[in-house]
């Protein structure tokens, strides 16, 4: 049985670039292949896509599971944004960057290049070869429109502070316009090179400029030329912009499942494009190699996304109805069923960018508020939470590389994890220490048997088990743990503060500053009401720098402060599972939300 | 089985009784009452759906900066800023538009048109449910009658046991087993297509027990039947192995003639008795004419490269010709003979289709080496001609249909059995026997028909529940049908798809109930006259 695992942090530190390579894990067992294997698979070096060299597209179809229906060519609106829709669309829409397997921002050299002239001046150059599948070159107009969708407000002005009602229903909101009010600047509408001048530094500048949809299609649909659309954006021409927004918001909805729109409406700028008649409602979507794609040719002629819920995926893989699966919410059962399939299937388990944590409520009614039990109570709780036991019992059976997570802003499988945690955390909560917890509990002045409600979104068996493990341990320290799981946890209890500890997960997106919203005093996701000047200041410094070294230093500050004042307790990164037929090469799991299809154009059927 | 619920008492409205109320008025009155019920329950369902959860649930865990704008966008799409009754009113106005030709069932959360989604979903569900219902009726009723006639026999106990087993089967688990044996292992096996010795003996042994127990007779006779069956089945299976029949099934006019002539004899035996020579010859003529027509048509595009419309046309012609044959042979009981030839004609056309599909089976295996998939309603990007595509659709239907049918067969057979037993104890059956009628006539003419009366209601209701109740089957087999529409709507706290589901199933329930009432009236001679 070939078992491929994402390697754990220890291996990453030891082996540097070997991080995440598919078969470098010491736990990989009988894995022997290395480098470019005789079966045509290529081992990746680092988190980005492997260089496959000269690929010729082979006839044949690779089938991958996707849990939901395709519903829009424009998957960037607030209504249509979904990982399942993106799984398909991202194969036919190019970009300057993509996320590597550990969340690293990787450059797509075939698409073009970008260069920071200064922290606030970024120059982008699109490849001269880059064209839409209808023959129109990819150029400045496409990126100007992409900027407009993230900058222009309903009142036809450029956003001031990103809080206005946007004209375009962009899922990312008006952040880009807030930072780059002037928009990308170029010599002409069809320029291949343009510059973004940031009004102030944005730490996440690399991922702010992402997918661009075809501006010439929008222009065509609203009856203007591309140049006129470009002018309209520059001059904030309300009439044209309103038409453009209407089309951008609704015109690319695929309203009739099973019926692909006119191909002129949905050109491709990626390795794949919609196959004619390739959409069967509720069943499957087939993409075919884009003959005009200038980058590395896709390895397989067609790629079919079959719609099936997690439950049916393993048997479908066994029967050859699917070649690649990534079952949602894997359990021990999922793993054992896949392992039963033996040599015909490759199994890869690993950590994902979704991480589980316990957050304290700092509100006045909470026992952990500084006005009540305070830091001592939180320390008492942290000392009695059996983190290692929770990981060993609940996560390791699924992913043997799972470890207790000791940070919030970096993951155990990322390069800087060891550096950040060694500076921020001394290992004081690694092991349960009931006596120390009792002492802290006494110090806190809390009454013996103080009720601690651990709230989470029910039903969730794994969280129920987590709470009972905590109860078994922490009740000895003097707490009275109450399982407060509720189906309405997020919309009621969390907002109302009806909990002492919240148990839930954040999904990391690869964004550097996303934590600011959670830990800063004014953060929108700071549900517990945490406030700390040092943390606020560190976030400010971090978000105003584009230097990775500064990011790491400030993260150390944030993490140390969050440990010392106990914002909450990180538990583990959620496990992920990818299984693929052993007849398909180059399938690689990724920790990111992009899912296993992130390198689908490299999947090749073994000869 | 949580998704099928059957009332304990046989449900039916007040049947139309002539002399009190004309049938048309009755239908109108019933329909009006049903529409009122539908309207009231739609209010309730809409209210419950809007309160079924948190429409922002997926956004709560997000740490995007513009979360408030995202919520506002969703609120605008789903009218979340309005009260539930205002949203209901919007929906109701859209539905009312259906009567003026501008149907609007609203949009899903992602902005897709629910009317179109409902169309495709209903299409998929109908395909899934129709075959299951037909199979369940035929097998369920047949089993019910047989078990009633052979009450307290080993066969009766066996079927009863199986019925309770299937009725209490967890669908989800049964689906996993079906996929394992019906798809994965079958596909492994068909690669060689040879039955092993153990399997041959096993199949023969099972048949050697089942067949004698349905035929009845004393112990000695059953032993002989069983022994003969065993030897015969073993011989046939060995022969099929030798011929590589499972991969290259023999087909052709000769097989059609053989099977349809057999069907002709069987139909005659059941309906009029084999001694009615006129009827027998009429039925056989139909089978022969059908086979000849098939042989000729096979060389024309009508069958070689057909269309659905062409096939339907041929089917209609077949029925007309069959009835004509019955009329020409006629005899003292022309109506009955026409019934026999008509049924024989239908059976013959089914045999012809089956024969053509068998002929294409080997080439289909060439296109798709693992013929039965565990998921999907069709093989994506399947390239084949009409008949090969039909095989593809058919093979994909088998597993979910079997799953759905199993439960219905269990119900139908139990209902038919008790209904048949009740009728067999009626005075008029005793009278018929006392008159000296043959057992066949007693059962077919007097008992069977009357026992069907309560079953019509069950079947009609079963169809309506199946439409809405195939949620699990749809999910595990990856069909996007009505159940999926409902489930996704409910998970997203998005009323329009849920209400569309309700409209379709609710209307189906009303229509089927009405049909059951009318069928009830036409089958029950006491109501008819």
């Amino acid at each position: 049985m070939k078992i491929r695992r994402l390697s754990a942090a220890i291996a990453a530190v030891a082996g540097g670039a070997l991080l995440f390579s598919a078969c470098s894990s010491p736990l990989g067992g009988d894995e022997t292949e290395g480098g470019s294997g005789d079966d045509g698979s290529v081992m990746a070096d680092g988190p980005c896509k492997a260089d496959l060299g000269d690929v010729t597209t082979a006839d044949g179809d690779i089938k991958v599971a996707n849990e939901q229906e395709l519903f829009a060519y424009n998957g960037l609106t607030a209504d249509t944004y979904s990982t399942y829709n993106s799984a398909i669309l991202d194969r036919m829409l190019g970009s300057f960057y993509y996320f590597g397997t550990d969340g690293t921002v990787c450059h797509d050299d075939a698409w073009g290049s970008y260069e920071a002239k200064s922290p606030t001046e970024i120059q982008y150059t699109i490849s001269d070869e880059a064209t839409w599948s209808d023959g129109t070159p990819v150029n400045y107009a496409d990126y100007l429109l992409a900027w407009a969708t993230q900058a222009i407000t309903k009142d036809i002005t450029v956003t001031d502070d990103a809080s206005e009602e946007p004209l375009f229903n962009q899922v990312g909101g008006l952040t880009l316009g807030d930072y780059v009010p002037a928009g990308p600047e170029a010599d002409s509408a069809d320029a291949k090179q343009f510059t973004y001048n940031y009004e102030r530094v944005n730490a996440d500048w690399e991922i702010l400029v992402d997918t661009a949809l075809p501006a010439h299609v929008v222009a065509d649909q609203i009856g203007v030329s591309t140049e006129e659309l470009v002018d309209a954006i520059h001059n904030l021409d309300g009439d044209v912009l309103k038409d453009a927004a209407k089309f951008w918001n609704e015109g690319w909805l695929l309203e009739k499942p099973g019926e692909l729109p006119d191909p002129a409406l949905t050109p491709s700028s990626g390795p794949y494009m919609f196959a004619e008649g390739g959409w069967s409602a509720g069943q499957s979507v087939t993409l075919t190699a884009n003959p005009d794609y200038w980058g590395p040719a896709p390895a397989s002629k067609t790629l079919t996304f079959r719609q099936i819920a997690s439950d049916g995926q393993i048997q479908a893989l066994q029967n050859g109805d699917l070649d690649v699966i990534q079952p949602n919410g894997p359990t021990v059962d999922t793993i054992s069923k896949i392992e039963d399939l033996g040599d015909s299937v490759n199994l890869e388990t690993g950590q994902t960018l979704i991480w589980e944590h316990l957050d304290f409520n700092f509100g006045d009614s909470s026992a952990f508020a500084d006005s009540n039990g305070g830091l001592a109570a939180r320390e008492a709780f942290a000392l009695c939470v059996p983190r290692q036991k929770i990981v060993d019992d609940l996560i390791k059976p699924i992913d043997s590389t799972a470890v207790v997570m000791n940070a919030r802003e970096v993951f155990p499988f990322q390069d800087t994890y060891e550096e950040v945690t060694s500076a921020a955390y001394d290992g004081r909560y690694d092991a349960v220490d009931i006596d120390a917890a009792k002492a802290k509990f006494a110090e806190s002045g809390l009454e013996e048997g103080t009720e601690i409600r651990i709230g989470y979104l029910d039903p969730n068996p794994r969280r129920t088990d987590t709470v009972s493990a905590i109860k078994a341990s922490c009740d000895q320290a003097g707490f009275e743990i109450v399982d407060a799981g509720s189906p309405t946890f997020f919309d009621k209890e969390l907002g109302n503060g009806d909990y002492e500890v919240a148990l839930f997960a954040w999904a990391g997106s690869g964004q550097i500053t996303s934590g600011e919203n959670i830990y800063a005093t004014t953060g929108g996701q700071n549900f517990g009401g945490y406030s700390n000047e040092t943390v606020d200041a560190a976030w400010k410094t971090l978000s105003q720098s584009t230097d990775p070294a500064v990011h790491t230093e400030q993260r150390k500050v944030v993490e140390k402060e969050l440990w010392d004042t106990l914002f909450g307790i990180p538990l583990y990164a959620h496990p992920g599972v990818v299984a693929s037929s052993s007849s398909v090469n180059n399938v690689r799991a990724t920790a990111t939300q992009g899912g296993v299809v992130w390198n689908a154009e490299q999947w090749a059927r073994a000869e | 089985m949580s998704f099928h619920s059957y009332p304990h008492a046989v449900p039916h409205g007040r049947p139309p009784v002539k002399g009190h109320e004309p049938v048309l008025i009755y239908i109108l009155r019933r329909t009006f009452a049903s529409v009122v019920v539908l309207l009231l329950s739609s209010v309730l369902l809409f209210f419950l759906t809007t309160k079924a959860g948190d429409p922002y649930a997926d956004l709560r865990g997000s740490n995007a900066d513009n979360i408030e704008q995202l919520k506002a966008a969703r609120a605008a799409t789903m009218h979340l800023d309005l009260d539930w009754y205002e949203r209901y009113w919007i929906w109701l106005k859209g539905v009312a538009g259906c009567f003026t030709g501008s149907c609007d069932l609203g949009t899903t959360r992602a902005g897709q048109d629910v009317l179109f989604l409902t169309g495709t979903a209903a299409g998929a569900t109908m395909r899934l449910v129709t075959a299951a219902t037909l199979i369940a009726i035929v097998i369920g009723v047949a089993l019910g009658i047989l078990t009633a006639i052979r009450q307290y026999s080993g066969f009766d106990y066996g079927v009863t046991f199986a019925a309770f087993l299937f009725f209490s089967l967890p669908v989800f688990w049964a689906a996993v087993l079906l996929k394992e044996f019906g798809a994965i292992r079958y596909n492994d096996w068909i690669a060689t297509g040879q039955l092993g010795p153990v399997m041959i003996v096993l199949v023969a042994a099972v048949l050697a027990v089942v067949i004698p127990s349905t035929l009845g007779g004393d112990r000695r006779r059953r032993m002989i039947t069983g022994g003969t069956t065993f030897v015969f089945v073993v011989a046939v299976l060995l022969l099929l192995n030798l011929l590589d029949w499972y991969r290259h099934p023999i087909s052709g006019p000769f097989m059609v003639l053989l099977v349809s002539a057999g069907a002709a004899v069987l139909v005659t035996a059941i309906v009029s008795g084999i001694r009615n020579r006129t009827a027998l010859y009429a039925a056989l003529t139909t089978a022969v004419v059908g086979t000849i027509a098939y042989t000729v048509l096979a060389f024309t595009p009508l069958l070689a490269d057909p269309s659905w419309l062409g096939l339907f046309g041929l089917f209609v012609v077949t029925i007309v010709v069959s009835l004509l044959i019955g009329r020409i042979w006629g005899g003292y009981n022309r109506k009955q003979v026409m019934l026999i030839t008509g049924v024989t004609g239908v059976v013959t056309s089914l045999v012809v289709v089956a024969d053509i599909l068998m002929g294409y089976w080997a080439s289909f295996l060439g296109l798709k080496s693992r013929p039965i998939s565990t998921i999907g309603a069709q093989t994506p990007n399947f390239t084949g001609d009409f008949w090969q595509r039909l095989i593809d659709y058919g093979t994909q239907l088998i597993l979910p249909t079997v799953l759905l049918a199993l439960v219905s067969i269990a119900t139908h057979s139990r209902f038919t059995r008790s209904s048949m037993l009740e009728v067999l104890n009626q005075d008029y059956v005793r009278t018929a026997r006392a008159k000296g009628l043959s057992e066949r006539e007693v059962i077919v003419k007097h008992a069977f028909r009357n026992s069907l009366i309560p079953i019509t209601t069950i079947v009609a209701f079963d169809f309506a529940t199946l439409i809405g109740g195939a949620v699990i089957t749809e999910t595990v087999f990856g069909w996007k049908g009505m159940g999926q529409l409902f489930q996704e709507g409910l998970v997203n706290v998005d009323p329009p798809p849920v209400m569309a589901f309700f409209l379709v199933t609710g209307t189906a329930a009303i229509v089927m109930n009405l049909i059951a009432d009318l069928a009830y009236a036409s089958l029950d001679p006491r109501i008819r006259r």
Side-chain angles (χ1 to χ4, degrees), chain A residues 460-588:
Chain A
N460 186 322
R462 194 194 283 161
R463 286 182 184 152
T464 308
D465 291 346
T466 305
V467 173
S468 52
I470 296 173
K471 182 171 175 63
S473 176
C474 286
D475 278 6
Q476 300 172 41
F479 296 107
E480 171 72 36
I481 304 295
V482 177
D483 182 329
S486 152
T488 56
F489 181 69
F490 281 114
D491 55 333
K492 297 232 171 71
E493 286 85 346
L494 189 62
N496 298 342
D498 289 335
Y499 68 101
E500 273 73 46
V501 176
L503 172 61
F504 64 104
W506 286 121
S509 58
Q511 200 186 352
I512 294 164
T513 57
S514 63
E516 187 170 8
N517 241 339
I518 304 172
Y519 308 110
T521 307
T522 54
Q525 270 82 45
N526 184 353
F527 300 119
Y530 176 82
S531 177
N532 182 304
E533 280 173 21
T534 319
V535 171
D536 288 358
W539 272 119
K540 204 163 181 196
T541 318
L542 193 160
S543 61
Q544 287 173 2
S545 167
T546 57
D547 182 0
V550 174
H551 295 163
T552 305
E553 282 315 308
Q554 295 308 314
R555 276 185 178 148
K556 288 180 193 166
V557 175
V558 170
E559 292 282 2
K560 178 152 178 40
E561 201 62 26
L562 291 178
W563 271 120
D564 290 347
T565 59
L566 276 177
F567 170 89
I569 307 165
L571 291 176
Y572 54 81
H574 281 204
V577 170
V578 164
S580 57
S581 158
S582 51
S583 71
V584 177
N585 289 329
N586 302 332
V587 176
R588 261 177 96 191

Side-chain angles (χ1 to χ4, degrees), chain A residues 322-441:
Chain A
L322 289 171
D323 297 308
V324 181
I325 65 171
Q326 186 172 32
N328 221 339
T331 62
V332 181
D333 198 32
T334 315
I335 303 296
S336 67
K337 275 187 192 153
I338 298 175
E339 281 176 343
D340 285 347
L341 301 187
D343 273 343
S344 61
V345 163
N346 291 332
L347 169 67
E348 196 177 345
T349 64
Q351 304 170 30
T352 66
L353 282 177
I354 301 171
W355 62 286
E356 190 89 353
H357 50 88
L358 293 156
D359 286 356
F360 292 110
N361 184 358
F362 289 83
D364 287 335
S365 63
S366 163
F368 293 118
D370 289 325
S371 53
N372 296 321
L375 181 62
R378 300 200 290 277
E379 285 175 336
F381 186 76
L383 281 167
C384 68
V385 172
R387 295 198 296 156
Q388 190 63 50
K389 182 178 160 50
I390 291 170
V391 171
D392 286 349
D393 290 356
L394 302 177
I395 312 302
K396 278 228 169 126
I398 302 171
D399 169 25
S400 60
T401 71
V403 290
V404 171
M405 206 164 135
N406 287 325
R408 300 148 185 91
E409 290 297 301
V410 276
F411 287 83
F413 48 84
Q414 287 174 332
D415 286 338
T416 54
Y417 179 77
E418 196 66 19
E419 189 188 341
V420 170
T421 49
S422 59
Y425 171 66
D426 57 10
R428 68 188 103 152
Y429 305 121
D430 277 359
V432 173
D433 186 343
I434 297 294
D435 293 332
K438 275 182 180 161
K440 283 286 179 189
F441 187 84

Side-chain angles (χ1 to χ4, degrees), chain A residues 141-367:
Chain A
D142 301 322
Y143 278 89
L144 182 68
L145 176 67
W147 170 83
T149 63
Q150 301 170 68
I152 296 177
T153 67
K154 203 132 206 165
D155 303 326
I156 318 294
T157 57
V158 172
T159 177
D160 194 31
D161 58 1
S163 67
E164 303 93 333
E165 197 180 344
L167 177 63
F168 294 82
N169 192 10
Q170 229 276 6
V171 68
L174 298 171
T175 313
L176 182 61
D178 184 21
Y179 279 90
V180 193
E185 292 156 50
D187 300 335
S188 67
D190 58 358
K192 282 279 188 183
Q193 195 171 64
F194 43 88
T195 306
Y196 286 77
N197 284 306
Y198 281 70
E199 197 179 58
R200 54 191 195 283
V201 171
N202 187 313
D204 281 309
W205 62 277
E206 279 199 274
I207 62 173
L208 265 186
V209 176
D210 58 4
T211 314
L213 294 167
H216 65 280
V217 173
V218 177
D220 192 49
Q221 290 297 314
I222 61 173
V224 298
S225 70
T226 310
E227 288 75 20
E228 284 166 340
L229 180 63
V230 166
D231 288 341
I233 296 172
H234 282 148
N235 305 328
L236 294 177
D237 177 341
D239 293 339
V240 175
L241 284 176
K242 277 177 186 158
D243 286 351
K246 189 167 167 43
F247 178 78
W248 196 90
N249 292 341
E250 293 164 16
W252 270 319
L253 271 178
L254 305 175
E255 279 206 301
K256 300 191 166 170
E259 289 178 24
L260 284 172
D262 181 357
L265 215 59
T266 57
S268 161
S269 63
Y272 285 104
M273 58 195 282
F274 286 131
E276 200 184 326
W279 189 9
S280 167
Q283 298 287 314
S284 61
V285 176
T286 301
L287 303 182
T288 184
N290 174 3
D292 299 321
Y293 186 61
W294 61 96
S300 171
K301 178 87 192 289
T302 65
L303 182 65
T304 298
F305 294 81
R306 296 191 78 169
Q307 203 180 319
I308 179 72
S310 298
D311 306 321
Q313 290 181 4
I314 297 174
Q315 281 187 312
L317 178 69
Q318 186 184 4
N319 197 32
D321 307 325
L322 289 171
D323 297 308
V324 181
I325 65 171
Q326 186 172 32
N328 221 339
T331 62
V332 181
D333 198 32
T334 315
I335 303 296
S336 67
K337 275 187 192 153
I338 298 175
E339 281 176 343
D340 285 347
L341 301 187
D343 273 343
S344 61
V345 163
N346 291 332
L347 169 67
E348 196 177 345
T349 64
Q351 304 170 30
T352 66
L353 282 177
I354 301 171
W355 62 286
E356 190 89 353
H357 50 88
L358 293 156
D359 286 356
F360 292 110
N361 184 358
F362 289 83
D364 287 335
S365 63
S366 163

Side-chain angles (χ1 to χ4, degrees), chain B residues 337-387:
Chain B
V337 176
M338 281 172 73
L339 175 71
I340 292 171
T341 53
V343 173
T344 311
V346 171
V347 173
T348 307
S349 21
L350 291 179
V351 173
V352 166
V353 170
D355 185 67
I356 296 174
L357 294 182
M358 277 163 71
Y360 277 88
W361 179 247
S363 68
F364 175 75
L365 282 181
L367 287 173
K368 195 179 176 208
S369 58
R370 294 182 72 83
I372 300 192
S373 302
T374 57
I375 53 166
Q378 75 229 30
T379 310
N381 315 312
F382 184 77
T383 49
D385 63 14
F386 180 89
W387 293 110

